[in-house]
Amino acid sequence: SESITVGELAKRIGVKATDLIRVLMKMGMMVTINHPLDVDTATLLAAEFSYEIENVAIDMDEVLESTPDEPESLKKRPSVVTIMGHVDHGKTSLLDAIRETNVIAGEAGGITQHIGAYAVELNGRKITFLDTPGHEAFTAMRARGAKVTDIVILVVAADDGVMPQTREAINHSKAAGVPIIVAINKIDKPEAKPERVKQELMEFGLVSEEWGGDTIFVEVSAKKRVNLPDLLEMILLQADVMDLKANPDKEARGTIVEAKLDRGRGPVATVLVQEGTLKIGDYFVAGVHFGRVRAMLNDRGDKVLAAGPSMPVEVIGFTGVPDAGDVFISLPDEKKAKEIASYRQQKLRETELAKHSKMSLEQLYDKI
Ligand code: GDP
Ligand code: MG
């Protein structure tokens, strides 16, 4: 639950912290300036000083909460897939192969842009791939509470088998509750042993259907482009089982997948829209930054006017560079977006200040 410190409240209502502390003492609370106050106490105190406080902290919570959707407002959405696996087992090759195959099948001569994610289409249905470096992005985003991945493709090289990062990937996926599809890669190699990989993965509870389990296995070669459509079909099948849905008819919410400062365009970030629809002109907040959507580009570099659930778009219009994993929320008005961003910036400064003062205290003790 949100709270506000004595010091913050004092600042917000424009009174001395010592005066607040004195009133609190009268109420029987012996507190310091950093003491957190719940909303009721804060409101009571503000009233004591005859201020009407619009409690920003509470507003924050309301804004951050996603409004529950009526079941009938939910529509099917594409799945969002992350490829994970041990180094050199072919993650990048597989991503590239899937993308190129699809680009060729799609519009001829389409120039692809690196935006950290891309969408492919099979039988008129879309799949979104995140191509940020697997584990780190996945864990960093999870650490921030962002859930962006619906399905993990675990790449295991048929000539190498289960390796440390394979295990890590399995553990991360399981911890996040994300289903795994196994892509046994490099089956073009003479030394490939796909059956051995299946055997090894049994120990982790990943048992293929032919062996009585329910994990989907696909044998592929990223290099020779073997069975890639099969892999995509299996992803669509898994997505059907999961019955992935979102409400496209509301303000957009999503997650920052990648962000950078572009020389010509200023701060740009790839937003994976997860609910609602993002449109040109929308105000938004992401982490400590606010902005307004000036332009949006898809993974082919085409301008788009709107982006619905599971669609990744590069957004231009940030006032600063957000962090990957930051929650992106579009808001009806600029004032709110600014207010939240500045509140968060203040919070961030306070945390950093606290870190610094703690450090200097530790340094002081070191010297004694
Ligand atoms: P990553 O570290 O998991 O991203 O692996 P890469 O995609 O960089 O691939 C590592 C190496 O394996 C590269 O030399 C690729 O050319 C090779 N490689 C990837 N996929 C295949 C495949 O299907 N067959 C063969 N023979 N080599 C592959
Ligand atoms: Mg790679």
Side-chain angles (χ1 to χ4, degrees):
S1 76
E2 275 296 339
S3 64
I4 186 167
T5 66
V6 172
E8 283 166 350
L9 180 65
K11 225 183 287 169
R12 194 152 295 148
I13 64 177
V15 302
K16 281 193 202 136
T18 47
D19 290 341
L20 271 191
I21 291 169
R22 198 169 318 119
V23 173
L24 278 162
M25 273 169 72
K26 272 196 238 156
M27 291 162 65
M29 286 174 72
M30 306 295 281
V31 297
T32 61
I33 192 158
N34 292 318
H35 191 85
L37 299 169
D38 59 29
V39 177
D40 289 345
T41 312
T43 310
L44 207 68
L45 274 172
E48 190 79 14
F49 287 91
S50 59
Y51 280 90
E52 285 264 311
I53 60 160
E54 183 199 34
N55 197 296
V56 181
I58 281 303
D59 277 0
M60 241 25 88
D61 249 8
E62 275 172 12
V63 167
L64 290 176
E65 292 287 328
S66 169
T67 49
D69 295 301
E70 296 297 323
E72 56 271 21
S73 68
L74 298 175
K75 307 238 164 69
K76 248 180 180 298
R77 64 167 179 85
S79 53
V80 181
V81 176
T82 302
I83 297 192
M84 294 171 88
H86 195 69
V87 65
D88 282 343
H89 278 198
K91 297 180 293 294
T92 305
S93 305
L94 190 59
L95 270 165
D96 290 348
I98 290 169
R99 188 174 195 185
E100 278 161 32
T101 310
N102 197 258
V103 167
I104 293 161
E107 34 199 285
I111 300 163
T112 58
Q113 297 277 114
H114 179 90
I115 65 165
Y118 63 81
V120 305
E121 219 175 286
L122 185 79
N123 310 329
R125 292 178 63 189
K126 287 200 169 84
I127 303 169
T128 298
F129 283 88
L130 297 180
D131 71 355
T132 38
H135 302 233
E136 281 139 70
F138 192 80
T139 39
M141 286 192 195
R142 278 228 315 130
R144 291 163 155 271
K147 189 177 185 289
V148 288
T149 303
D150 299 309
I151 298 167
V152 162
I153 304 296
L154 180 69
V155 179
V156 188
D159 61 338
D160 205 23
V162 171
M163 287 306 206
Q165 284 165 288
T166 316
R167 275 182 220 116
E168 252 178 58
I170 296 169
N171 291 338
H172 286 318
S173 311
K174 281 189 176 167
V178 179
I180 295 171
I181 293 178
V182 181
I184 302 181
N185 190 31
K186 307 198 186 185
I187 53 153
D188 60 287
K189 285 191 149 189
E191 59 272 40
K193 292 191 182 68
E195 296 307 305
R196 206 195 72 190
V197 174
K198 287 182 194 168
Q199 189 107 45
E200 287 175 344
L201 285 172
M202 278 183 83
E203 169 188 338
F204 300 91
L206 299 174
V207 184
S208 69
E209 280 162 343
E210 56 183 307
W211 291 2
D214 58 4
T215 304
I216 301 171
F217 280 71
V218 188
E219 296 180 17
V220 298
S221 166
K223 193 174 178 180
K224 303 274 194 221
R225 310 277 200 264
V226 177
N227 280 349
L228 302 183
D230 294 49
L231 178 61
L232 296 183
E233 239 164 72
M234 289 304 149
I235 296 170
L236 291 178
L237 196 73
Q238 178 66 43
D240 282 338
V241 171
M242 295 171 83
D243 195 26
L244 303 167
K245 285 178 175 169
N247 176 2
D249 302 312
K250 61 178 187 179
E251 263 142 19
R253 299 172 61 88
T255 301
I256 303 291
V257 167
E258 205 172 85
K260 64 182 178 203
L261 188 63
D262 187 277
R263 257 170 199 250
R265 300 179 298 165
V268 291
T270 299
V271 178
L272 174 71
V273 178
Q274 291 171 292
E275 295 176 51
T277 297
L278 186 63
K279 301 181 204 78
I280 300 283
D282 282 355
Y283 292 103
F284 62 81
V285 63
V288 298
H289 302 291
F290 75 97
R292 188 179 194 190
V293 181
R294 284 200 280 119
M296 287 192 284
L297 303 172
N298 65 14
D299 54 333
R300 305 229 169 133
D302 302 324
K303 283 198 169 157
V304 293
L305 300 175
S310 299
M311 184 166 168
V313 274
E314 194 176 52
V315 174
I316 301 168
F318 284 82
T319 51
V321 183
D323 291 321
D326 276 347
V327 174
F328 177 101
I329 300 167
S330 81
L331 297 156
D333 67 288
E334 186 174 20
K335 188 170 161 275
K336 188 116 249 148
K338 270 188 183 164
E339 194 179 66
I340 295 169
S342 70
Y343 174 81
R344 287 175 172 178
Q345 265 166 26
Q346 189 193 324
K347 276 270 178 211
L348 186 70
R349 272 196 297 274
E350 280 166 14
T351 325
E352 267 159 19
L353 250 137
K355 253 189 253 161
H356 278 299
S357 48
K358 194 174 159 217
M359 209 146 64
S360 50
L361 204 67
E362 277 163 8
Q363 282 162 353
L364 189 73
Y365 279 119
D366 260 0
K367 294 223 170 81
I368 294 169

